[in-house]
Amino acid sequence: MICLGIEGTAHTFGSGIIEDVNGRCKVHSNVLRSYQPKEGGIHPREAANHHATYASDIIYEAVKKADIDFSEIDLVSFSQGPGLGPCLRTAATAARALALSLNKPIIGVNHCVAHLEIGRGTLDNCKDPILLYTSGANTQVIGFAEGKYRVFGETLDIGIGNCLDKFGRSVGLKFPCGPDIEKLAKKGKKYLKLPYSIKGMDIAFSGLLTAAEQYISKKETLEDVCFSIQETAFAALTEVTERAMAHTEKNEVLLGGGVASNTRLREMVKIMAEERDASFFVPSKDVCIDNGAMIAWLGCLMYNSGIRMNIEDTSIDQRFRTDMVDVTWRE
Ligand code: AMP
Ligand code: MG
């Protein structure tokens, strides 16, 4: 089975082609392009315009790189949510047009679940992980329990990536700011105390953001503030992830999302996993960030488990929650 997936929840438009080879995901191509705001954060309509401009080029390139013909595609899938309305609508429109013109089935998938499934589909021995999903807008700790992917903990205000980007912008860094903050943090030496807010299993970052900005106006060095943000925020993420692992008695942890590129976050989660005798997994970078291949793979799993959608079922859902999905393709 060959599936073409389309991703467009936020800044990235991507198209990937995968094949189900005995239940494992083989990625044939995975092409993407990200909208870069000239200043400030992501403007949903401008990001959607970017997606509309490049959608057909990216889809054609994905097909070319996979070295297949359009007629060999068995299924089209796309990210139905959560995400920014105008971006989701653009990606969904592209997917519907493609499925209708090829006369092939279409499946809309949950973006967050796709981050988890691509880990299971591409990494050997990653079977039943707790996913720490850290991206711009989303921050969730997700695991499978009783037929659903449950959210054990999540941000109560802003995503961790958003927190880093907002802080970065306030000190003049270029978007996305995470990579620069990581570089600066490596040179930081002094730990400055920041709010560490875990409420139950959920996390809040806006207090930390405000306090970090205040340290800058009090003339603490940018390096020390970046170091302290990372140490505090990532420790909180690691703590919630560990609690979810303890609660569910799972012994695998998987990272996903753009912030998972960060070496310090990886290190902290890896140490936690080792201390619990658990396995630590990070997908390769091309499928860890927002991408079309993971959307294709989840579409394929859903289709093979018997799920079918009509065009009427493919409307987008900006607030599509991870735990709304009936997981029919695994136990
Ligand atoms: P996503 O929304 O999953 O595409 O992830 C984008 C987010 O990842 C942005 O907020 C970036 O600032 C952040 N990001 C990317 N690379 C890094 C890094 N090395 N360290 C921390 N955050 C990062
Ligand atoms: Mg994502």
Side-chain angles (χ1 to χ4, degrees):
M1 167 134 204
I2 292 185
C3 178
L4 181 145
I6 295 178
E7 158 60 25
T9 52
H11 49 72
T12 300
F13 188 92
S15 180
I17 293 176
I18 64 94
E19 184 173 1
D20 180 342
V21 181
N22 301 325
R24 305 296 298 157
C25 172
K26 184 166 176 4
V27 178
H28 287 296
S29 67
N30 202 11
V31 181
L32 48 87
R33 189 186 159 106
S34 291
Y35 154 78
Q36 274 277 352
K38 285 189 195 72
E39 55 178 349
I42 302 175
H43 189 297
R45 204 177 49 224
E46 282 174 17
N49 286 343
H50 163 272
H51 296 355
T53 306
Y54 295 103
S56 72
D57 287 354
I58 290 170
I59 292 168
Y60 271 99
E61 199 182 326
V63 170
K64 194 167 162 228
K65 283 207 168 135
D67 201 16
I68 60 162
D69 191 83
F70 273 102
S71 62
E72 291 173 77
I73 295 167
D74 300 304
L75 172 71
V76 175
S77 67
F78 71 99
S79 41
Q80 203 162 10
L84 304 169
C87 301
L88 288 169
R89 258 172 240 121
T90 306
T93 305
R96 286 181 208 118
L98 185 63
L100 287 171
S101 71
L102 297 175
N103 197 19
K104 294 290 160 139
I106 184 167
I107 295 271
V109 315
N110 179 288
H111 175 95
C112 307
V113 174
H115 273 291
L116 193 143
E117 286 298 347
I118 196 67
R120 297 204 321 132
T122 58
L123 298 162
D124 289 339
N125 306 320
C126 179
K127 296 197 160 60
D128 185 22
I130 288 289
L131 169 71
L132 171 58
Y133 172 38
T134 53
S135 73
N138 299 302
T139 298
Q140 293 186 333
V141 176
I142 302 168
F144 183 77
E146 291 170 32
K148 296 237 166 144
Y149 280 118
R150 314 272 170 188
V151 179
F152 289 100
E154 67 189 311
T155 178
L156 294 168
D157 44 29
I158 51 176
I160 175 64
N162 223 255
C163 171
L164 297 173
D165 293 335
K166 281 193 170 157
F167 173 76
R169 272 214 306 282
S170 75
V171 297
L173 303 179
K174 200 171 128 274
F175 177 89
C177 309
D180 282 342
I181 290 175
E182 177 171 14
K183 277 187 213 127
L184 289 158
K186 286 204 174 102
K187 294 186 210 135
K189 290 187 183 70
K190 183 165 75 169
Y191 178 75
L192 305 160
K193 204 166 178 335
L194 286 168
Y196 183 90
S197 24
I198 296 186
K199 296 172 186 173
M201 293 279 279
D202 296 325
I203 312 178
F205 292 113
S206 48
L208 177 148
L209 174 62
T210 309
E213 286 170 353
Q214 281 165 356
Y215 276 126
I216 295 293
S217 42
K218 286 185 206 147
K219 305 281 181 260
E220 296 289 351
T221 71
L222 184 55
E223 287 82 355
D224 286 340
V225 179
C226 288
F227 168 72
S228 308
I229 292 172
Q230 285 201 171
E231 292 306 302
T232 313
F234 295 170
L237 291 169
T238 308
E239 180 180 334
V240 172
T241 308
E242 178 165 28
R243 286 209 224 160
M245 293 173 77
H247 175 71
T248 56
E249 298 181 355
K250 293 195 196 288
N251 56 11
E252 297 170 17
V253 59
L254 171 71
L255 296 186
V259 186
S261 315
N262 188 288
T263 45
R264 181 59 180 145
L265 177 63
R266 289 180 182 206
E267 181 182 42
M268 279 195 199
V269 177
K270 189 160 185 269
I271 291 169
M272 177 273 283
E274 279 165 5
E275 285 177 353
R276 304 182 56 80
D277 275 330
S279 309
F280 168 77
F281 298 101
V282 199
S284 68
K285 184 160 190 264
D286 54 322
V287 292
C288 189
I289 57 174
D290 288 352
N291 68 94
M294 70 177 187
I295 303 301
W297 175 238
L298 178 53
C300 191
L301 291 172
M302 290 170 69
Y303 188 86
N304 285 339
S305 79
I307 294 173
R308 298 291 180 269
M309 287 187 187
N310 296 316
I311 291 292
E312 304 85 79
D313 308 319
T314 61
S315 48
I316 58 125
D317 183 354
Q318 280 174 256
R319 297 182 201 288
F320 192 2
R321 282 191 55 88
T322 306
D323 44 21
M324 282 161 65
V325 180
D326 274 324
V327 182
T328 47
W329 57 91
R330 63 165 284 185
E331 304 196 333

